[in-house]
Amino acid sequence: MEEFIVPVVIPGIEITTPRLVMRQWCEEDLAPFAAMNADPKVMEYFPATLTREQSDDMAQRCSALIAERGWGIWALETREDGKFIGFLGLHTPGYNLPFTPCVEIGWRLCADAWGKGLASEAARAAFDVGFNRLNLNEIVAFTALPNIRSQALMQRMGMSLSPDENFDHPAVEAGSWLQEHCLYRLHRDDWVAVQSRL
């Protein structure tokens, strides 16, 4: 197994892409974030929607980790109109999973932001931070098996499915249709090779 490199702490960063700002969380994000987390369409592949308190707690945890390390799960805002549309970023899972320690890429966007390539745009920027600023060897992603939409994004980013590493997520109730998860991996060398061809 490849040695896990502990990510460095870097000064807090804000990432700008052609259409997005990936930034620290603010108070104004809480209401639209709660609305997104209460949307059954957005939360289809999660065990349940979130209450306002649960949503606020999640935003505050994301904000605290960015403040502590300089990177994490960033709030996403459109450059055109400054609208909050969700989150995307890098995270060290708190659960004891078969492949930890690791750094994962994760995202959640409001439904009206789907289908526009915004998640792909933000993911490319997050991978750039992970590999070029945090000096990671690998970034992983995982999701429930039925979540084909998220798996399609992982594949577009050049991530490879690890077919022998499916696992039951400890936060999902036993027997749930969402319990079994698949794992995707992306190594630094593969990312560099893809970027060199763009």
Side-chain angles (χ1 to χ4, degrees):
M1 181 176 175
E2 188 173 14
E3 181 183 1
F4 176 71
I5 297 178
V6 177
V8 297
V9 175
I10 59 177
I13 58 174
E14 184 174 279
I15 305 165
T16 301
T17 72
R19 294 181 292 170
L20 297 168
V21 177
M22 302 165 66
R23 56 163 175 78
Q24 176 60 288
W25 295 72
C26 63
E27 186 75 24
E28 290 74 23
D29 299 330
L30 297 181
F33 188 49
M36 186 181 83
N37 288 325
D39 183 346
K41 184 176 180 181
V42 172
M43 302 298 287
E44 179 180 5
Y45 298 108
F46 292 88
T49 57
L50 301 184
T51 66
R52 174 62 189 260
E53 182 180 9
Q54 290 170 327
S55 180
D56 287 356
D57 285 347
M58 183 177 184
Q60 289 162 6
R61 289 195 304 272
C62 291
S63 176
L65 286 170
I66 293 173
E68 176 185 333
R69 302 182 300 198
W71 57 275
I73 300 291
W74 292 283
L76 292 182
E77 169 186 300
T78 54
R79 292 181 64 182
E80 182 179 18
D81 55 11
K83 180 183 178 182
F84 173 88
I85 61 166
F87 68 68
L88 188 145
L90 304 171
H91 181 63
T92 52
Y95 296 102
N96 183 20
L97 302 173
F99 45 87
T100 54
C102 66
V103 172
E104 66 163 315
I105 185 168
W107 56 84
R108 188 178 303 167
L109 275 65
C110 60
D112 63 5
W114 295 357
K116 301 175 182 178
L118 295 171
S120 296
E121 185 173 316
R124 282 190 292 271
F127 280 125
D128 182 67
V129 170
F131 290 127
N132 294 324
R133 298 190 65 176
L134 303 183
N135 297 316
L136 298 173
N137 288 329
E138 180 184 65
I139 296 172
V140 305
F142 49 88
T143 190
L145 289 187
N147 192 350
I148 302 302
R149 188 168 51 245
S150 282
Q151 291 185 57
L153 175 57
M154 296 170 193
Q155 292 162 12
R156 285 196 300 275
M157 293 296 100
M159 305 190 85
S160 298
L161 175 67
S162 295
D164 299 327
E165 294 190 88
N166 285 8
F167 65 98
D168 290 340
H169 198 293
V172 180
E173 183 180 0
S176 167
W177 69 295
L178 299 173
Q179 184 182 22
E180 187 176 1
H181 278 50
C182 56
L183 174 69
Y184 282 75
R185 297 178 179 272
L186 182 60
H187 291 273
R188 171 201 285 273
D189 291 346
D190 295 330
W191 172 252
V192 170
V194 168
Q195 299 316 297
S196 67
R197 295 195 295 268
L198 297 180

mmCIF file with all atom_site columns, all heavy atoms in Angstrom, residues 9 12 34 41 47 49 55 64-65 72 80 87-88 92-93 128 138 162 170 172 175 185-186 191:
data_model
loop_
_atom_site.group_PDB
_atom_site.id
_atom_site.type_symbol
_atom_site.label_atom_id
_atom_site.label_alt_id
_atom_site.label_comp_id
_atom_site.label_asym_id
_atom_site.label_entity_id
_atom_site.label_seq_id
_atom_site.pdbx_PDB_ins_code
_atom_site.Cartn_x
_atom_site.Cartn_y
_atom_site.Cartn_z
_atom_site.occupancy
_atom_site.B_iso_or_equiv
_atom_site.pdbx_formal_charge
_atom_site.auth_seq_id
_atom_site.auth_comp_id
_atom_site.auth_asym_id
_atom_site.auth_atom_id
_atom_site.pdbx_PDB_model_num
ATOM 1   N N   . VAL A 1 9   ? -0.382  22.167 6.066   1.00 0.00 ? 9   VAL A N   1
ATOM 2   C CA  . VAL A 1 9   ? -1.239  23.302 6.394   1.00 0.00 ? 9   VAL A CA  1
ATOM 3   C C   . VAL A 1 9   ? -0.760  24.475 5.552   1.00 0.00 ? 9   VAL A C   1
ATOM 4   O O   . VAL A 1 9   ? 0.437   24.765 5.506   1.00 0.00 ? 9   VAL A O   1
ATOM 5   C CB  . VAL A 1 9   ? -1.164  23.641 7.896   1.00 0.00 ? 9   VAL A CB  1
ATOM 6   C CG1 . VAL A 1 9   ? -1.956  24.905 8.196   1.00 0.00 ? 9   VAL A CG1 1
ATOM 7   C CG2 . VAL A 1 9   ? -1.667  22.476 8.730   1.00 0.00 ? 9   VAL A CG2 1
ATOM 8   N N   . GLY A 1 12  ? -4.917  30.181 4.320   1.00 0.00 ? 12  GLY A N   1
ATOM 9   C CA  . GLY A 1 12  ? -6.264  30.069 3.785   1.00 0.00 ? 12  GLY A CA  1
ATOM 10  C C   . GLY A 1 12  ? -6.344  30.584 2.361   1.00 0.00 ? 12  GLY A C   1
ATOM 11  O O   . GLY A 1 12  ? -5.861  31.672 2.063   1.00 0.00 ? 12  GLY A O   1
ATOM 12  N N   . ALA A 1 34  ? -29.177 25.184 4.041   1.00 0.00 ? 34  ALA A N   1
ATOM 13  C CA  . ALA A 1 34  ? -30.217 24.397 4.706   1.00 0.00 ? 34  ALA A CA  1
ATOM 14  C C   . ALA A 1 34  ? -31.317 24.010 3.724   1.00 0.00 ? 34  ALA A C   1
ATOM 15  O O   . ALA A 1 34  ? -31.824 22.882 3.758   1.00 0.00 ? 34  ALA A O   1
ATOM 16  C CB  . ALA A 1 34  ? -30.794 25.182 5.876   1.00 0.00 ? 34  ALA A CB  1
ATOM 17  N N   . LYS A 1 41  ? -34.499 15.784 -3.637  1.00 0.00 ? 41  LYS A N   1
ATOM 18  C CA  . LYS A 1 41  ? -33.799 15.500 -4.888  1.00 0.00 ? 41  LYS A CA  1
ATOM 19  C C   . LYS A 1 41  ? -32.290 15.556 -4.680  1.00 0.00 ? 41  LYS A C   1
ATOM 20  O O   . LYS A 1 41  ? -31.550 14.681 -5.141  1.00 0.00 ? 41  LYS A O   1
ATOM 21  C CB  . LYS A 1 41  ? -34.229 16.506 -5.960  1.00 0.00 ? 41  LYS A CB  1
ATOM 22  C CG  . LYS A 1 41  ? -33.637 16.235 -7.341  1.00 0.00 ? 41  LYS A CG  1
ATOM 23  C CD  . LYS A 1 41  ? -34.178 17.218 -8.362  1.00 0.00 ? 41  LYS A CD  1
ATOM 24  C CE  . LYS A 1 41  ? -33.595 16.952 -9.738  1.00 0.00 ? 41  LYS A CE  1
ATOM 25  N NZ  . LYS A 1 41  ? -34.099 17.927 -10.746 1.00 0.00 ? 41  LYS A NZ  1
ATOM 26  N N   . PRO A 1 47  ? -28.767 9.055  3.549   1.00 0.00 ? 47  PRO A N   1
ATOM 27  C CA  . PRO A 1 47  ? -29.774 8.378  4.368   1.00 0.00 ? 47  PRO A CA  1
ATOM 28  C C   . PRO A 1 47  ? -31.002 9.226  4.681   1.00 0.00 ? 47  PRO A C   1
ATOM 29  O O   . PRO A 1 47  ? -32.102 8.687  4.835   1.00 0.00 ? 47  PRO A O   1
ATOM 30  C CB  . PRO A 1 47  ? -28.989 8.029  5.649   1.00 0.00 ? 47  PRO A CB  1
ATOM 31  C CG  . PRO A 1 47  ? -27.564 7.930  5.199   1.00 0.00 ? 47  PRO A CG  1
ATOM 32  C CD  . PRO A 1 47  ? -27.415 8.979  4.129   1.00 0.00 ? 47  PRO A CD  1
ATOM 33  N N   . THR A 1 49  ? -32.664 13.678 4.635   1.00 0.00 ? 49  THR A N   1
ATOM 34  C CA  . THR A 1 49  ? -32.428 15.116 4.533   1.00 0.00 ? 49  THR A CA  1
ATOM 35  C C   . THR A 1 49  ? -31.962 15.625 5.896   1.00 0.00 ? 49  THR A C   1
ATOM 36  O O   . THR A 1 49  ? -32.050 14.917 6.900   1.00 0.00 ? 49  THR A O   1
ATOM 37  C CB  . THR A 1 49  ? -33.712 15.844 4.113   1.00 0.00 ? 49  THR A CB  1
ATOM 38  O OG1 . THR A 1 49  ? -34.747 15.537 5.060   1.00 0.00 ? 49  THR A OG1 1
ATOM 39  C CG2 . THR A 1 49  ? -34.161 15.422 2.714   1.00 0.00 ? 49  THR A CG2 1
ATOM 40  N N   . SER A 1 55  ? -27.755 21.061 9.294   1.00 0.00 ? 55  SER A N   1
ATOM 41  C CA  . SER A 1 55  ? -27.123 21.748 8.178   1.00 0.00 ? 55  SER A CA  1
ATOM 42  C C   . SER A 1 55  ? -26.169 22.830 8.663   1.00 0.00 ? 55  SER A C   1
ATOM 43  O O   . SER A 1 55  ? -25.033 22.943 8.179   1.00 0.00 ? 55  SER A O   1
ATOM 44  C CB  . SER A 1 55  ? -28.202 22.350 7.275   1.00 0.00 ? 55  SER A CB  1
ATOM 45  O OG  . SER A 1 55  ? -27.625 23.023 6.179   1.00 0.00 ? 55  SER A OG  1
ATOM 46  N N   . ALA A 1 64  ? -14.652 25.627 10.131  1.00 0.00 ? 64  ALA A N   1
ATOM 47  C CA  . ALA A 1 64  ? -13.601 25.490 11.148  1.00 0.00 ? 64  ALA A CA  1
ATOM 48  C C   . ALA A 1 64  ? -12.382 24.766 10.593  1.00 0.00 ? 64  ALA A C   1
ATOM 49  O O   . ALA A 1 64  ? -11.242 25.131 10.899  1.00 0.00 ? 64  ALA A O   1
ATOM 50  C CB  . ALA A 1 64  ? -14.155 24.747 12.371  1.00 0.00 ? 64  ALA A CB  1
ATOM 51  N N   . LEU A 1 65  ? -12.597 23.750 9.770   1.00 0.00 ? 65  LEU A N   1
ATOM 52  C CA  . LEU A 1 65  ? -11.466 23.017 9.202   1.00 0.00 ? 65  LEU A CA  1
ATOM 53  C C   . LEU A 1 65  ? -10.680 23.874 8.211   1.00 0.00 ? 65  LEU A C   1
ATOM 54  O O   . LEU A 1 65  ? -9.451  23.804 8.159   1.00 0.00 ? 65  LEU A O   1
ATOM 55  C CB  . LEU A 1 65  ? -11.957 21.732 8.531   1.00 0.00 ? 65  LEU A CB  1
ATOM 56  C CG  . LEU A 1 65  ? -12.384 20.624 9.488   1.00 0.00 ? 65  LEU A CG  1
ATOM 57  C CD1 . LEU A 1 65  ? -13.080 19.493 8.744   1.00 0.00 ? 65  LEU A CD1 1
ATOM 58  C CD2 . LEU A 1 65  ? -11.174 20.080 10.258  1.00 0.00 ? 65  LEU A CD2 1
ATOM 59  N N   . GLY A 1 72  ? -10.117 22.675 2.551   1.00 0.00 ? 72  GLY A N   1
ATOM 60  C CA  . GLY A 1 72  ? -11.188 21.810 3.042   1.00 0.00 ? 72  GLY A CA  1
ATOM 61  C C   . GLY A 1 72  ? -12.343 21.775 2.070   1.00 0.00 ? 72  GLY A C   1
ATOM 62  O O   . GLY A 1 72  ? -12.158 21.814 0.857   1.00 0.00 ? 72  GLY A O   1
ATOM 63  N N   . GLU A 1 80  ? -20.833 35.211 -11.527 1.00 0.00 ? 80  GLU A N   1
ATOM 64  C CA  . GLU A 1 80  ? -21.726 36.121 -12.243 1.00 0.00 ? 80  GLU A CA  1
ATOM 65  C C   . GLU A 1 80  ? -22.646 36.897 -11.309 1.00 0.00 ? 80  GLU A C   1
ATOM 66  O O   . GLU A 1 80  ? -22.822 38.109 -11.459 1.00 0.00 ? 80  GLU A O   1
ATOM 67  C CB  . GLU A 1 80  ? -22.563 35.333 -13.250 1.00 0.00 ? 80  GLU A CB  1
ATOM 68  C CG  . GLU A 1 80  ? -23.488 36.201 -14.072 1.00 0.00 ? 80  GLU A CG  1
ATOM 69  C CD  . GLU A 1 80  ? -24.292 35.391 -15.077 1.00 0.00 ? 80  GLU A CD  1
ATOM 70  O OE1 . GLU A 1 80  ? -24.390 34.155 -14.930 1.00 0.00 ? 80  GLU A OE1 1
ATOM 71  O OE2 . GLU A 1 80  ? -24.817 36.011 -16.015 1.00 0.00 ? 80  GLU A OE2 1
ATOM 72  N N   . PHE A 1 87  ? -21.294 23.080 -2.215  1.00 0.00 ? 87  PHE A N   1
ATOM 73  C CA  . PHE A 1 87  ? -19.902 22.961 -1.762  1.00 0.00 ? 87  PHE A CA  1
ATOM 74  C C   . PHE A 1 87  ? -19.150 21.952 -2.599  1.00 0.00 ? 87  PHE A C   1
ATOM 75  O O   . PHE A 1 87  ? -19.735 21.072 -3.229  1.00 0.00 ? 87  PHE A O   1
ATOM 76  C CB  . PHE A 1 87  ? -19.820 22.605 -0.269  1.00 0.00 ? 87  PHE A CB  1
ATOM 77  C CG  . PHE A 1 87  ? -20.297 21.222 0.106   1.00 0.00 ? 87  PHE A CG  1
ATOM 78  C CD1 . PHE A 1 87  ? -19.606 20.075 -0.276  1.00 0.00 ? 87  PHE A CD1 1
ATOM 79  C CD2 . PHE A 1 87  ? -21.439 21.052 0.887   1.00 0.00 ? 87  PHE A CD2 1
ATOM 80  C CE1 . PHE A 1 87  ? -20.019 18.805 0.100   1.00 0.00 ? 87  PHE A CE1 1
ATOM 81  C CE2 . PHE A 1 87  ? -21.877 19.779 1.260   1.00 0.00 ? 87  PHE A CE2 1
ATOM 82  C CZ  . PHE A 1 87  ? -21.155 18.657 0.860   1.00 0.00 ? 87  PHE A CZ  1
ATOM 83  N N   . LEU A 1 88  ? -17.846 22.081 -2.568  1.00 0.00 ? 88  LEU A N   1
ATOM 84  C CA  . LEU A 1 88  ? -16.937 21.089 -3.146  1.00 0.00 ? 88  LEU A CA  1
ATOM 85  C C   . LEU A 1 88  ? -15.567 21.310 -2.527  1.00 0.00 ? 88  LEU A C   1
ATOM 86  O O   . LEU A 1 88  ? -15.156 22.440 -2.300  1.00 0.00 ? 88  LEU A O   1
ATOM 87  C CB  . LEU A 1 88  ? -16.853 21.217 -4.663  1.00 0.00 ? 88  LEU A CB  1
ATOM 88  C CG  . LEU A 1 88  ? -16.066 20.095 -5.363  1.00 0.00 ? 88  LEU A CG  1
ATOM 89  C CD1 . LEU A 1 88  ? -16.688 19.762 -6.726  1.00 0.00 ? 88  LEU A CD1 1
ATOM 90  C CD2 . LEU A 1 88  ? -14.593 20.446 -5.554  1.00 0.00 ? 88  LEU A CD2 1
ATOM 91  N N   . THR A 1 92  ? -10.519 14.955 5.027   1.00 0.00 ? 92  THR A N   1
ATOM 92  C CA  . THR A 1 92  ? -10.021 13.705 5.598   1.00 0.00 ? 92  THR A CA  1
ATOM 93  C C   . THR A 1 92  ? -11.186 13.049 6.349   1.00 0.00 ? 92  THR A C   1
ATOM 94  O O   . THR A 1 92  ? -11.677 13.604 7.326   1.00 0.00 ? 92  THR A O   1
ATOM 95  C CB  . THR A 1 92  ? -8.847  13.945 6.558   1.00 0.00 ? 92  THR A CB  1
ATOM 96  O OG1 . THR A 1 92  ? -9.219  14.934 7.525   1.00 0.00 ? 92  THR A OG1 1
ATOM 97  C CG2 . THR A 1 92  ? -7.625  14.441 5.803   1.00 0.00 ? 92  THR A CG2 1
ATOM 98  N N   . PRO A 1 93  ? -11.684 11.901 5.872   1.00 0.00 ? 93  PRO A N   1
ATOM 99  C CA  . PRO A 1 93  ? -12.873 11.294 6.488   1.00 0.00 ? 93  PRO A CA  1
ATOM 100 C C   . PRO A 1 93  ? -12.675 11.012 7.966   1.00 0.00 ? 93  PRO A C   1
ATOM 101 O O   . PRO A 1 93  ? -11.609 10.566 8.400   1.00 0.00 ? 93  PRO A O   1
ATOM 102 C CB  . PRO A 1 93  ? -13.048 9.994  5.692   1.00 0.00 ? 93  PRO A CB  1
ATOM 103 C CG  . PRO A 1 93  ? -12.333 10.216 4.408   1.00 0.00 ? 93  PRO A CG  1
ATOM 104 C CD  . PRO A 1 93  ? -11.185 11.119 4.729   1.00 0.00 ? 93  PRO A CD  1
ATOM 105 N N   . ASP A 1 128 ? -6.195  20.299 -8.394  1.00 0.00 ? 128 ASP A N   1
ATOM 106 C CA  . ASP A 1 128 ? -4.975  21.095 -8.557  1.00 0.00 ? 128 ASP A CA  1
ATOM 107 C C   . ASP A 1 128 ? -4.401  21.493 -7.201  1.00 0.00 ? 128 ASP A C   1
ATOM 108 O O   . ASP A 1 128 ? -3.190  21.394 -6.973  1.00 0.00 ? 128 ASP A O   1
ATOM 109 C CB  . ASP A 1 128 ? -5.280  22.334 -9.399  1.00 0.00 ? 128 ASP A CB  1
ATOM 110 C CG  . ASP A 1 128 ? -4.040  23.171 -9.643  1.00 0.00 ? 128 ASP A CG  1
ATOM 111 O OD1 . ASP A 1 128 ? -3.127  22.701 -10.348 1.00 0.00 ? 128 ASP A OD1 1
ATOM 112 O OD2 . ASP A 1 128 ? -3.968  24.301 -9.119  1.00 0.00 ? 128 ASP A OD2 1
ATOM 113 N N   . GLU A 1 138 ? -2.395  10.851 -3.686  1.00 0.00 ? 138 GLU A N   1
ATOM 114 C CA  . GLU A 1 138 ? -3.632  10.273 -4.175  1.00 0.00 ? 138 GLU A CA  1
ATOM 115 C C   . GLU A 1 138 ? -4.816  11.001 -3.541  1.00 0.00 ? 138 GLU A C   1
ATOM 116 O O   . GLU A 1 138 ? -4.742  11.464 -2.412  1.00 0.00 ? 138 GLU A O   1
ATOM 117 C CB  . GLU A 1 138 ? -3.685  8.786  -3.817  1.00 0.00 ? 138 GLU A CB  1
ATOM 118 C CG  . GLU A 1 138 ? -4.932  8.068  -4.289  1.00 0.00 ? 138 GLU A CG  1
ATOM 119 C CD  . GLU A 1 138 ? -4.984  6.625  -3.826  1.00 0.00 ? 138 GLU A CD  1
ATOM 120 O OE1 . GLU A 1 138 ? -5.077  6.399  -2.593  1.00 0.00 ? 138 GLU A OE1 1
ATOM 121 O OE2 . GLU A 1 138 ? -4.922  5.730  -4.685  1.00 0.00 ? 138 GLU A OE2 1
ATOM 122 N N   . SER A 1 162 ? -12.127 1.240  -8.112  1.00 0.00 ? 162 SER A N   1
ATOM 123 C CA  . SER A 1 162 ? -11.428 0.110  -7.490  1.00 0.00 ? 162 SER A CA  1
ATOM 124 C C   . SER A 1 162 ? -12.464 -0.981 -7.237  1.00 0.00 ? 162 SER A C   1
ATOM 125 O O   . SER A 1 162 ? -13.097 -1.016 -6.175  1.00 0.00 ? 162 SER A O   1
ATOM 126 C CB  . SER A 1 162 ? -10.765 0.543  -6.179  1.00 0.00 ? 162 SER A CB  1
ATOM 127 O OG  . SER A 1 162 ? -9.755  1.493  -6.420  1.00 0.00 ? 162 SER A OG  1
ATOM 128 N N   . PRO A 1 170 ? -20.112 2.935  7.400   1.00 0.00 ? 170 PRO A N   1
ATOM 129 C CA  . PRO A 1 170 ? -20.540 2.772  8.795   1.00 0.00 ? 170 PRO A CA  1
ATOM 130 C C   . PRO A 1 170 ? -21.629 3.737  9.228   1.00 0.00 ? 170 PRO A C   1
ATOM 131 O O   . PRO A 1 170 ? -22.298 3.500  10.247  1.00 0.00 ? 170 PRO A O   1
ATOM 132 C CB  . PRO A 1 170 ? -19.248 2.997  9.589   1.00 0.00 ? 170 PRO A CB  1
ATOM 133 C CG  . PRO A 1 170 ? -18.355 3.770  8.676   1.00 0.00 ? 170 PRO A CG  1
ATOM 134 C CD  . PRO A 1 170 ? -18.693 3.325  7.291   1.00 0.00 ? 170 PRO A CD  1
ATOM 135 N N   . VAL A 1 172 ? -24.293 4.425  7.459   1.00 0.00 ? 172 VAL A N   1
ATOM 136 C CA  . VAL A 1 172 ? -25.544 4.058  6.796   1.00 0.00 ? 172 VAL A CA  1
ATOM 137 C C   . VAL A 1 172 ? -26.111 2.811  7.460   1.00 0.00 ? 172 VAL A C   1
ATOM 138 O O   . VAL A 1 172 ? -25.390 1.842  7.718   1.00 0.00 ? 172 VAL A O   1
ATOM 139 C CB  . VAL A 1 172 ? -25.316 3.807  5.292   1.00 0.00 ? 172 VAL A CB  1
ATOM 140 C CG1 . VAL A 1 172 ? -26.627 3.429  4.623   1.00 0.00 ? 172 VAL A CG1 1
ATOM 141 C CG2 . VAL A 1 172 ? -24.720 5.049  4.629   1.00 0.00 ? 172 VAL A CG2 1
ATOM 142 N N   . GLY A 1 175 ? -28.458 -2.912 5.878   1.00 0.00 ? 175 GLY A N   1
ATOM 143 C CA  . GLY A 1 175 ? -29.572 -3.342 5.066   1.00 0.00 ? 175 GLY A CA  1
ATOM 144 C C   . GLY A 1 175 ? -30.140 -2.271 4.156   1.00 0.00 ? 175 GLY A C   1
ATOM 145 O O   . GLY A 1 175 ? -30.976 -2.569 3.291   1.00 0.00 ? 175 GLY A O   1
ATOM 146 N N   . ARG A 1 185 ? -10.251 6.125  -7.168  1.00 0.00 ? 185 ARG A N   1
ATOM 147 C CA  . ARG A 1 185 ? -8.947  6.660  -6.806  1.00 0.00 ? 185 ARG A CA  1
ATOM 148 C C   . ARG A 1 185 ? -8.363  7.469  -7.967  1.00 0.00 ? 185 ARG A C   1
ATOM 149 O O   . ARG A 1 185 ? -8.618  7.159  -9.137  1.00 0.00 ? 185 ARG A O   1
ATOM 150 C CB  . ARG A 1 185 ? -7.962  5.536  -6.464  1.00 0.00 ? 185 ARG A CB  1
ATOM 151 C CG  . ARG A 1 185 ? -8.338  4.677  -5.258  1.00 0.00 ? 185 ARG A CG  1
ATOM 152 C CD  . ARG A 1 185 ? -7.318  3.561  -5.048  1.00 0.00 ? 185 ARG A CD  1
ATOM 153 N NE  . ARG A 1 185 ? -7.609  2.718  -3.905  1.00 0.00 ? 185 ARG A NE  1
ATOM 154 C CZ  . ARG A 1 185 ? -7.199  2.946  -2.661  1.00 0.00 ? 185 ARG A CZ  1
ATOM 155 N NH1 . ARG A 1 185 ? -6.446  4.035  -2.415  1.00 0.00 ? 185 ARG A NH1 1
ATOM 156 N NH2 . ARG A 1 185 ? -7.486  2.123  -1.674  1.00 0.00 ? 185 ARG A NH2 1
ATOM 157 N N   . LEU A 1 186 ? -7.571  8.476  -7.620  1.00 0.00 ? 186 LEU A N   1
ATOM 158 C CA  . LEU A 1 186 ? -6.806  9.209  -8.625  1.00 0.00 ? 186 LEU A CA  1
ATOM 159 C C   . LEU A 1 186 ? -5.413  9.472  -8.070  1.00 0.00 ? 186 LEU A C   1
ATOM 160 O O   . LEU A 1 186 ? -5.262  10.119 -7.028  1.00 0.00 ? 186 LEU A O   1
ATOM 161 C CB  . LEU A 1 186 ? -7.475  10.543 -8.977  1.00 0.00 ? 186 LEU A CB  1
ATOM 162 C CG  . LEU A 1 186 ? -6.776  11.382 -10.060 1.00 0.00 ? 186 LEU A CG  1
ATOM 163 C CD1 . LEU A 1 186 ? -6.692  10.621 -11.380 1.00 0.00 ? 186 LEU A CD1 1
ATOM 164 C CD2 . LEU A 1 186 ? -7.490  12.712 -10.259 1.00 0.00 ? 186 LEU A CD2 1
ATOM 165 N N   . TRP A 1 191 ? -3.033  12.194 -12.765 1.00 0.00 ? 191 TRP A N   1
ATOM 166 C CA  . TRP A 1 191 ? -3.563  13.557 -12.902 1.00 0.00 ? 191 TRP A CA  1
ATOM 167 C C   . TRP A 1 191 ? -2.620  14.420 -13.731 1.00 0.00 ? 191 TRP A C   1
ATOM 168 O O   . TRP A 1 191 ? -3.050  15.126 -14.646 1.00 0.00 ? 191 TRP A O   1
ATOM 169 C CB  . TRP A 1 191 ? -3.764  14.175 -11.522 1.00 0.00 ? 191 TRP A CB  1
ATOM 170 C CG  . TRP A 1 191 ? -4.126  15.629 -11.536 1.00 0.00 ? 191 TRP A CG  1
ATOM 171 C CD1 . TRP A 1 191 ? -3.341  16.682 -11.168 1.00 0.00 ? 191 TRP A CD1 1
ATOM 172 C CD2 . TRP A 1 191 ? -5.378  16.207 -11.930 1.00 0.00 ? 191 TRP A CD2 1
ATOM 173 N NE1 . TRP A 1 191 ? -4.014  17.859 -11.309 1.00 0.00 ? 191 TRP A NE1 1
ATOM 174 C CE2 . TRP A 1 191 ? -5.271  17.600 -11.767 1.00 0.00 ? 191 TRP A CE2 1
ATOM 175 C CE3 . TRP A 1 191 ? -6.582  15.668 -12.395 1.00 0.00 ? 191 TRP A CE3 1
ATOM 176 C CZ2 . TRP A 1 191 ? -6.313  18.475 -12.070 1.00 0.00 ? 191 TRP A CZ2 1
ATOM 177 C CZ3 . TRP A 1 191 ? -7.616  16.538 -12.697 1.00 0.00 ? 191 TRP A CZ3 1
ATOM 178 C CH2 . TRP A 1 191 ? -7.482  17.914 -12.523 1.00 0.00 ? 191 TRP A CH2 1
#
